[in-house]
Amino acid sequence: MESATTTGERRDRDEVAEMFDGSSGMSDAFNDGQVHLGYWYDDEDQASLIEASQRLTRKVADSLRLRKGDRVLDVGCGLGAPAIQLAHEYGVQITGVNISTRQVAEARARAAGLADQVTFRVGDYSSLDFPDGSFDAVVAMESLVYVSDLGHTLGGLHRVMRPGGRLSLTEPTREGLSVVGAHQFAARFGAKWLLSVAEWLDPLREAGFEPVEYLQCGPRVFGMGPKYLQAVDARRDELAARFGETAVDELRQTLENFFTPGADQIGYAVITVRKPRN
């Protein structure tokens, strides 16, 4: 017989999968499969959403010191664009895991021709079945906030990494918001957590990781909300033709609500940790 906890966790996973199944079409059309945020140098930076998202992926890759042939795990791989970028630009062997069946199907289609380098699979990254030490590095871009048991999930990531391997996660972070305000903000967007950098480092240490570095780039990421609204406005006719005016209005309102707190209340961090060699 299943426990109430197990049933609750399954319900949480199903809700997350349904949320991403439902949003994948618009995400693909709006930002070419880049479902994480972007990095701009300042307000005058004219980089597109795709270019800005690719910059953030490179910052993650640089923090991991990726080398050709490295075995990389991408947890919550979205529509696959970051994994494919890492394979192209860094020559790594990358496996993406995603709970959304629809997103995995679209990621596989996007990766056609890269079967020897990129693999996508449907799975729950809070319960990985890979052998111990399977990966040299782990990427977790805006994905760990959707797990109910963060400590368990981090322990699983620690297990599948080789000694000396690195994990890099990117997430919005709690800055000016209170703990209660952060919880309310996260819940509005289907997430479980909105943590400060210190609040991330504690469970990472408890899982056995050693902090390496973190980059707080909130003004260049979360502070760039107007660029997303401008992109919706610029492409309104195109998106409305595919998804309808109501869907575009909902997208714009969701983005406006998400970025309303501003970079003084919510930051954005790239946090890199290492699995000790001993």
Side-chain angles (χ1 to χ4, degrees), residues 121-214:
R121 56 187 285 185
V122 178
D124 180 0
Y125 52 80
S126 65
S127 299
L128 297 170
D129 58 1
F130 299 105
D132 294 0
S134 294
F135 299 98
D136 301 298
V138 175
V139 174
M141 300 188 74
E142 300 171 24
S143 58
L144 294 179
V145 293
Y146 297 105
V147 300
S148 298
D149 190 335
L150 185 57
H152 173 77
T153 301
L154 293 175
L157 297 180
H158 184 276
R159 180 187 64 78
V160 301
M161 291 174 61
R162 66 164 174 80
R166 291 188 175 198
L167 159 69
S168 185
L169 67 90
T170 70
E171 293 290 353
T173 55
R174 181 174 72 85
E175 300 300 320
L177 286 181
S178 66
V179 172
V180 172
H183 177 74
Q184 292 172 339
F185 177 86
R188 283 200 299 272
F189 297 98
K192 302 293 184 184
W193 320 97
L194 178 64
L195 305 176
S196 67
V197 171
E199 290 165 340
W200 273 110
L201 291 176
D202 285 343
L204 285 163
R205 289 190 181 100
E206 290 172 5
F209 292 105
E210 297 176 342
V212 174
E213 65 180 4
Y214 74 87

Side-chain angles (χ1 to χ4, degrees), residues 107-118:
R108 287 171 175 165
R110 180 174 274 106
L114 288 172
D116 59 335
Q117 248 185 297
V118 183

Side-chain angles (χ1 to χ4, degrees), residues 251-274:
L251 170 64
R252 196 184 194 286
Q253 189 62 60
T254 297
L255 290 169
E256 186 173 356
N257 293 342
F258 181 74
F259 289 109
T260 290
D264 59 331
Q265 297 294 302
I266 297 178
Y268 193 93
V270 180
I271 302 173
T272 305
V273 295
R274 174 175 50 222

